[in-house]
Amino acid sequence: MTLDEAIRTRRSVRGFLPSEVPEPLLNEMFELAQWTPSNCNIQPWVPHVVSGPALRALAAEMGAAAEADLPFDPDWPADGKYQGVYRDRQYDAAARLYGAMGVERRDLVGRRTAYIRNLRCFDAPHAVFVFMRQPFDAREMTDVGMYAQTLMLVMTSRGIASCAQGALGLYTGIVRRHLCLPDDHRLMFGISFGYEDTSVAANNARTVRASIDDAVRFHR
Ligand SMILES: Cc1cc2nc3c(=O)[nH]c(=O)nc-3n(C[C@H](O)[C@H](O)[C@H](O)COP(=O)(O)O)c2cc1C
């Protein structure tokens, strides 16, 4: 697969087969992602890959917390700042996803079920929780974001599906406890990954992008 093909075919997959990714392939993908650039080459990402019984226990507790409406404890609270065109894009992506799933806008039960599936890592056999240690903040988060995209493109090129999930950073206390991590390990998101289950309706969703006429300003 060429880089162009990987960029254009990567998409968020929200339903996975139970089969695990073989360990040599796991190692190969995470070794390749290490080549992500970063500020002063500090490589601030701290990925914790969780699989098998460890992930089942973690996902079950996060799912139960969501079902019980336990309060979130994110390291970076979301504050509803999407307005204007950003809100339009958010709505469009949600409409496409729920449309593919056959969940109507007023179907609050269907939406809640979809949200809880997030916390259960969409039944993926693996999830990587990408931490960054204090006192790093916005500058180093750009490095972590680049790491995530590099990793997801590497996965795509090897037939491994993924979904970056801010939802996996909603219950940081649970995640840190399961992984025995201190509070200085801060979590923005996780990535569920594995082999796509093509029978899951959510996986038929496709998003769009603004054209470069809208997005890019060329100066000379
Ligand atoms: C940092 C980040 C966090 C995300 N959080 C979630 C999430 O919590 N749940 C979810 O279903 N999708 C999540 N997504 C997936 C986005 O909705 C998706 O990338 C976007 O709609 C574009 O669609 P595509 O990935 O299929 O191209 C997240 C993506 C990123 C990059």
Side-chain angles (χ1 to χ4, degrees), residues 10-14 93 97 118 122 152 163-168 188-190 205-207 209:
R10 185 221 52 82
R11 62 191 163 79
S12 295
V13 164
R14 299 178 176 89
L97 176 58
N118 255 281
F122 301 119
M152 291 193 291
C163 185
Q165 292 173 260
L168 297 184
M188 173 79 91
F189 62 92
R206 297 291 183 275
T207 54
R209 296 296 187 272

Side-chain angles (χ1 to χ4, degrees), residues 52-68:
L55 182 59
R56 282 193 289 280
L58 174 53
E61 188 170 341
M62 286 192 297
E67 271 174 18

Side-chain angles (χ1 to χ4, degrees), residues 3-219:
L3 178 60
D4 289 25
E5 287 166 343
I7 290 169
R8 289 191 190 278
T9 56
R10 185 221 52 82
R11 62 191 163 79
S12 295
V13 164
R14 299 178 176 89
F16 298 86
L17 298 172
S19 20
E20 292 196 8
V21 176
E23 208 170 303
L25 181 51
L26 271 184
N27 290 334
E28 180 185 306
M29 295 190 303
F30 281 91
E31 194 283 325
L32 207 43
Q34 280 299 110
W35 291 93
T36 301
S38 57
N39 280 282
C40 303
N41 198 26
I42 58 165
Q43 305 160 56
W45 47 85
V46 182
H48 280 252
V49 186
V50 190
S51 310
L55 182 59
R56 282 193 289 280
L58 174 53
E61 188 170 341
M62 286 192 297
E67 271 174 18
D69 285 322
L70 294 189
F72 303 139
D73 58 352
D75 290 331
W76 282 273
D79 55 9
K81 59 185 163 217
Y82 299 157
Q83 301 295 336
V85 67
Y86 304 108
R87 197 175 170 86
D88 294 345
R89 290 173 184 165
Q90 178 187 26
Y91 275 30
D92 178 69
R96 289 169 182 273
L97 176 58
Y98 290 123
M101 295 166 68
V103 173
E104 305 250 340
R105 196 168 160 70
R106 58 180 181 279
D107 178 0
L108 298 182
V109 175
R111 288 186 164 235
R112 184 172 161 78
T113 305
Y115 152 68
I116 290 167
R117 289 197 70 242
N118 255 281
L119 278 300
R120 297 194 189 282
C121 299
F122 301 119
D123 299 323
H126 310 276
V128 53
F129 294 81
V130 188
F131 294 88
M132 187 175 75
R133 294 182 68 178
Q134 266 171 342
F136 295 153
D137 219 310
R139 180 180 301 273
E140 295 79 17
M141 188 55 83
T142 60
D143 303 334
V144 176
M146 288 193 200
Y147 174 80
Q149 169 71 334
T150 304
L151 181 63
M152 291 193 291
L153 291 179
V154 166
M155 288 179 174
T156 302
S157 74
R158 283 152 174 78
I160 306 299
S162 63
C163 185
Q165 292 173 260
L168 297 184
L170 291 175
Y171 290 113
T172 56
I174 294 175
V175 177
R176 273 191 283 265
R177 175 161 45 77
H178 274 254
L179 304 182
C180 301
L181 292 172
D183 285 348
D184 76 337
H185 282 59
R186 301 167 83 209
L187 176 65
M188 173 79 91
F189 62 92
I191 304 172
S192 296
F193 67 94
Y195 295 97
E196 177 176 356
D197 182 346
T198 53
S199 72
V200 171
N203 291 342
N204 295 319
R206 297 291 183 275
T207 54
V208 294
R209 296 296 187 272
S211 71
I212 63 165
D213 292 341
D214 287 335
V216 186
R217 298 288 172 270
F218 295 97
H219 299 259

